[in-house]
Amino acid sequence: MTLRIAVVGVGRIGNVHAGVYEKHPECELVAVSDAIKDKADAAAERYNARAFYSVQEMLSSGIRIDAASMCTAGVENGGDHYQPTMELLRAGIPVLGEKPISNNIDEAREMVALAREKGLRYGINLNHRFTPAALRAKEWVDDGRLGELNIINMTMWINNPNESSPWFHIRALHPHSIDVMRYFGGDVEKVQAFFKKGKGRNIWSNVQVNMLFEKGIIGHLTGSYDAGGSYGLETLEVVGSDGRFVLREACEHLTFCPRFSRESETYDYLGGMMSFGETFASRIGRWIEQNLQEVAPEAIDASGEDALKVQTIIEAIIESWEKGTVVDLS
Ligand SMILES: NC(=O)c1ccc[n+]([C@@H]2O[C@H](COP(=O)([O-])OP(=O)(O)OC[C@H]3O[C@@H](n4cnc5c(N)ncnc54)[C@H](O)[C@@H]3O)[C@@H](O)[C@H]2O)c1
């Protein structure tokens, strides 16, 4: 079977999705849609697909679509996702949305509820954990190699001078970091956060968050839009009673350190994955695979439900800073 794909929003990231589908032997990119006519037309020509200027127009054309990528942006990089996603889901089309699922938690809830009601696969491009190194580390955790998990530390930072809204940094970047933390630690029960505005900035561009996971694991997130460059992108450390691992740059360097021995194990570029950019193809590839296998919606990796939980944690982080309290999510 070949999946007939549509990409909605063919800006920077929509073109990355389109490029992945174009190269995939089991996909046919049949439609591209963008509210800006020139962008839709250019993408249609590039990928030999049909151009549309709205989802409604695309749906009423009668074209068969088996799955769609939703790559709009908007306020806090998520404000435009709701309307076209709802239109696609109402039409019975499985959706792979870009992150954040939405910058508006009520709209995120509605999209997840509609997908559930319609029994549709709904995934989010939380691509940072779709790496051979993260998979290897997850196997170690599941096999008990680290013993009982005690601590999860995550640092994720980039250089982003955009001053669009006060909560842009936590809402737009940290779906990624918190998704990775949840991947290893499970659901989060409590959060407490401090924010700092970077030099000359009006937005909360630096954050420190403490977390208590439901399993009792304690976690910490460091985030910044005033970093990047030589600081790299991300470092994850998971510490257990018998060992710990450190994963640098999502896919590049993974080290396991047994607690009572100095004999550490390091893997560089596991699976041949060289840099973060390659996570798009691995995450979208998994989405394609799960659609071809027609898996149940609840089996989708990095699902809309997962992304909603992440966004709920983000709103609790904001509330913690605004109220000066620990926020309980349970
Ligand atoms: N997963 C990642 O690692 C990653 C990295 C960067 C960005 N992103 C996400 O990708 C998304 C897109 O970012 P971008 O930089 O490509 O934005 P962009 O502004 O370049 O592209 C968005 C496009 O969507 C179009 N659009 C808006 N509303 C539309 C609608 N209703 N129907 C059709 N088209 C519509 C716009 O005209 C624009 O061309 C954002 O949500 C962002 O957070 C994800």
Side-chain angles (χ1 to χ4, degrees):
M1 181 190 168
T2 300
L3 281 182
R4 291 169 58 87
I5 304 285
V7 175
V8 177
V10 273
R12 193 168 62 96
I13 297 298
N15 274 287
V16 175
H17 284 236
V20 173
Y21 292 121
E22 191 192 26
K23 289 192 195 79
H24 198 286
E26 287 171 288
C27 291
E28 190 186 350
L29 182 52
V30 294
V32 291
S33 167
D34 201 289
I36 298 172
K37 184 177 181 304
D38 288 353
K39 285 194 180 183
D41 290 345
E45 199 177 322
R46 193 172 308 128
Y47 306 111
N48 193 25
R50 274 179 74 180
F52 297 96
Y53 313 118
S54 72
V55 169
Q56 278 311 336
E57 185 203 358
M58 183 168 80
L59 295 174
S60 49
S61 76
I63 190 168
R64 196 191 101 208
I65 295 165
D66 298 321
S69 266
M70 256 295 315
C71 302
T72 53
V75 177
E76 291 164 337
N77 278 0
D80 287 346
H81 296 338
Y82 172 76
Q83 191 198 331
T85 301
M86 292 295 279
E87 289 169 350
L88 290 163
L89 293 173
R90 273 189 212 110
I93 297 172
V95 174
L96 176 65
E98 260 305 342
K99 64 82 224 171
I101 179 171
S102 174
N103 64 327
N104 177 318
I105 198 73
D106 293 331
E107 293 186 347
R109 284 192 192 109
E110 274 188 56
M111 291 185 281
V112 169
L114 181 58
R116 195 185 304 136
E117 183 192 313
K118 306 269 286 178
L120 288 169
R121 288 182 283 276
Y122 181 26
I124 299 295
N125 187 24
L126 295 164
N127 42 330
H128 285 239
R129 66 164 140 111
F130 288 82
T131 74
L135 274 176
R136 178 70 58 88
K138 181 77 165 131
E139 280 167 18
W140 292 342
V141 169
D142 292 347
D143 292 348
R145 203 176 178 203
L146 277 74
E148 183 178 310
L149 297 194
N150 290 323
I151 293 170
I152 299 179
N153 291 323
M154 168 59 109
T155 296
M156 187 175 289
W157 46 25
I158 60 171
N159 175 42
N160 189 337
N162 194 323
E163 283 289 303
S164 63
S165 93
W167 305 113
F168 176 50
H169 160 231
I170 188 76
R171 286 198 178 125
L173 179 65
H174 292 292
H176 285 312
S177 52
I178 296 170
D179 174 65
V180 174
M181 294 176 84
R182 282 191 71 249
Y183 182 56
F184 289 102
D187 285 334
V188 172
E189 189 182 314
K190 291 180 183 178
V191 298
Q192 180 278 322
F194 294 121
F195 283 82
K196 180 185 182 298
K197 294 179 180 177
K199 190 176 168 194
R201 300 197 70 152
N202 295 311
I203 75 165
W204 296 109
S205 51
N206 298 275
V207 70
Q208 299 275 34
V209 185
N210 287 311
M211 294 182 192
L212 176 66
F213 290 78
E214 284 179 1
K215 289 177 186 157
I217 301 165
I218 46 178
H220 184 80
L221 168 67
T222 295
S224 181
Y225 265 173
D226 301 316
S230 71
Y231 302 175
L233 172 66
E234 65 185 271
T235 305
L236 171 72
E237 179 189 40
V238 177
V239 185
S241 54
D242 298 337
R244 62 187 266 270
F245 76 78
V246 179
L247 175 54
R248 293 197 168 82
E249 311 307 333
C251 60
E252 296 184 22
H253 312 290
L254 175 66
T255 300
F256 176 77
C257 308
R259 183 171 170 201
F260 297 110
S261 156
R262 300 246 170 151
E263 196 178 274
S264 63
E265 233 173 78
T266 297
Y267 298 88
D268 297 319
Y269 310 109
L270 262 176
M273 190 180 276
M274 300 303 289
S275 66
F276 165 73
E278 293 172 45
T279 59
F280 283 89
S282 59
R283 194 282 169 266
I284 296 167
R286 180 70 179 142
W287 166 251
I288 294 166
E289 182 182 49
Q290 291 197 302
N291 275 281
L292 287 167
Q293 291 167 347
E294 299 183 351
V295 302
E298 53 277 15
I300 285 289
D301 286 343
S303 65
E305 306 251 4
D306 287 323
L308 174 59
K309 285 187 177 176
V310 162
Q311 224 59 33
T312 305
I313 295 166
I314 287 173
E315 294 311 311
I317 287 169
I318 294 171
E319 185 186 338
S320 163
W321 174 234
E322 284 184 324
K323 294 188 177 160
T325 55
V326 173
V327 175
D328 196 331
L329 286 135
S330 56

